[in-house]
Short mmCIF file of all heavy atoms in Angstrom, two decimals:
data_model
loop_
_atom_site.label_atom_id
_atom_site.label_comp_id
_atom_site.label_asym_id
_atom_site.label_seq_id
_atom_site.Cartn_x
_atom_site.Cartn_y
_atom_site.Cartn_z
N ALA A 730 -22.83 21.43 2.65
CA ALA A 730 -21.84 20.51 2.07
C ALA A 730 -22.28 19.05 2.25
O ALA A 730 -22.05 18.21 1.38
CB ALA A 730 -20.48 20.74 2.72
N ILE A 731 -22.90 18.76 3.39
CA ILE A 731 -23.37 17.39 3.63
C ILE A 731 -24.57 17.10 2.72
O ILE A 731 -24.64 16.06 2.06
CB ILE A 731 -23.73 17.18 5.12
CG1 ILE A 731 -22.47 17.29 6.00
CG2 ILE A 731 -24.39 15.82 5.32
CD1 ILE A 731 -22.75 17.32 7.50
N LYS A 732 -25.49 18.05 2.67
CA LYS A 732 -26.71 17.85 1.87
C LYS A 732 -26.41 17.69 0.39
O LYS A 732 -27.01 16.87 -0.31
CB LYS A 732 -27.65 19.04 2.09
CG LYS A 732 -29.10 18.74 1.83
CD LYS A 732 -29.99 19.91 2.23
CE LYS A 732 -31.43 19.65 1.91
NZ LYS A 732 -32.00 18.47 2.55
N THR A 733 -25.47 18.48 -0.10
CA THR A 733 -25.17 18.43 -1.53
C THR A 733 -24.08 17.40 -1.86
O THR A 733 -23.62 17.32 -3.00
CB THR A 733 -24.69 19.83 -2.03
OG1 THR A 733 -23.53 20.21 -1.28
CG2 THR A 733 -25.78 20.88 -1.85
N MET A 734 -23.66 16.67 -0.85
CA MET A 734 -22.75 15.54 -1.01
C MET A 734 -21.34 15.93 -1.47
O MET A 734 -20.65 15.16 -2.12
CB MET A 734 -23.36 14.47 -1.92
CG MET A 734 -24.61 13.86 -1.28
SD MET A 734 -25.49 12.66 -2.27
CE MET A 734 -24.32 11.32 -2.38
N ILE A 735 -20.93 17.15 -1.11
CA ILE A 735 -19.51 17.51 -1.24
C ILE A 735 -18.74 16.53 -0.35
O ILE A 735 -17.69 16.01 -0.71
CB ILE A 735 -19.27 18.97 -0.81
CG1 ILE A 735 -19.83 19.90 -1.88
CG2 ILE A 735 -17.78 19.23 -0.55
CD1 ILE A 735 -19.80 21.36 -1.49
N VAL A 736 -19.30 16.27 0.84
CA VAL A 736 -18.79 15.21 1.71
C VAL A 736 -19.92 14.20 1.84
O VAL A 736 -21.08 14.56 1.99
CB VAL A 736 -18.32 15.75 3.07
CG1 VAL A 736 -19.44 16.45 3.83
CG2 VAL A 736 -17.70 14.68 3.94
N ARG A 737 -19.58 12.91 1.70
CA ARG A 737 -20.61 11.87 1.74
C ARG A 737 -19.96 10.58 2.25
O ARG A 737 -18.74 10.51 2.41
CB ARG A 737 -21.34 11.69 0.41
CG ARG A 737 -20.57 11.83 -0.87
CD ARG A 737 -19.49 10.83 -1.10
NE ARG A 737 -19.98 9.46 -1.02
CZ ARG A 737 -19.23 8.40 -0.81
NH1 ARG A 737 -17.91 8.54 -0.65
NH2 ARG A 737 -19.71 7.19 -0.72
N GLY A 738 -20.81 9.55 2.48
CA GLY A 738 -20.34 8.32 3.09
C GLY A 738 -20.56 8.44 4.59
O GLY A 738 -20.19 9.46 5.20
N ALA A 739 -21.17 7.40 5.18
CA ALA A 739 -21.69 7.53 6.55
C ALA A 739 -20.66 8.04 7.58
O ALA A 739 -20.91 9.05 8.24
CB ALA A 739 -22.30 6.19 6.99
N PRO A 740 -19.49 7.40 7.73
CA PRO A 740 -18.57 7.90 8.77
C PRO A 740 -18.02 9.29 8.45
O PRO A 740 -17.84 10.10 9.37
CB PRO A 740 -17.45 6.85 8.78
CG PRO A 740 -18.09 5.61 8.23
CD PRO A 740 -19.03 6.11 7.18
N ALA A 741 -17.78 9.60 7.17
CA ALA A 741 -17.28 10.93 6.82
C ALA A 741 -18.33 12.00 7.13
O ALA A 741 -17.99 13.11 7.57
CB ALA A 741 -16.88 10.98 5.34
N ILE A 742 -19.60 11.66 6.92
CA ILE A 742 -20.68 12.60 7.26
C ILE A 742 -20.66 12.84 8.78
O ILE A 742 -20.84 13.98 9.25
CB ILE A 742 -22.05 12.04 6.82
CG1 ILE A 742 -22.16 12.00 5.29
CG2 ILE A 742 -23.19 12.86 7.42
CD1 ILE A 742 -23.40 11.28 4.78
N GLY A 743 -20.42 11.78 9.55
CA GLY A 743 -20.34 11.93 11.01
C GLY A 743 -19.21 12.86 11.42
O GLY A 743 -19.39 13.75 12.26
N VAL A 744 -18.03 12.68 10.82
CA VAL A 744 -16.88 13.52 11.14
C VAL A 744 -17.18 14.97 10.76
O VAL A 744 -16.95 15.91 11.53
CB VAL A 744 -15.61 13.01 10.40
CG1 VAL A 744 -14.46 14.00 10.54
CG2 VAL A 744 -15.20 11.63 10.92
N ALA A 745 -17.74 15.16 9.56
CA ALA A 745 -18.05 16.52 9.08
C ALA A 745 -19.07 17.18 10.01
O ALA A 745 -18.95 18.37 10.33
CB ALA A 745 -18.57 16.45 7.64
N ALA A 746 -20.07 16.43 10.43
CA ALA A 746 -21.11 16.99 11.31
C ALA A 746 -20.52 17.38 12.66
O ALA A 746 -20.91 18.40 13.26
CB ALA A 746 -22.24 16.00 11.49
N ALA A 747 -19.57 16.57 13.14
CA ALA A 747 -18.93 16.90 14.43
C ALA A 747 -18.21 18.25 14.32
O ALA A 747 -18.35 19.11 15.21
CB ALA A 747 -17.95 15.78 14.81
N TYR A 748 -17.47 18.44 13.23
CA TYR A 748 -16.83 19.76 13.04
C TYR A 748 -17.88 20.84 12.83
O TYR A 748 -17.69 21.98 13.29
CB TYR A 748 -15.86 19.71 11.84
CG TYR A 748 -14.53 19.08 12.19
CD1 TYR A 748 -14.14 17.88 11.61
CD2 TYR A 748 -13.67 19.70 13.09
CE1 TYR A 748 -12.92 17.29 11.93
CE2 TYR A 748 -12.44 19.12 13.42
CZ TYR A 748 -12.07 17.92 12.84
OH TYR A 748 -10.87 17.34 13.17
N GLY A 749 -18.97 20.49 12.16
CA GLY A 749 -20.06 21.47 11.98
C GLY A 749 -20.61 21.93 13.31
O GLY A 749 -20.93 23.11 13.51
#
Side-chain angles (χ1 to χ4, degrees):
I731 294 171
K732 204 172 177 59
T733 59
M734 296 177 66
I735 288 173
V736 60
R737 36 64 55 199
I742 292 172
V744 171
Y748 280 114

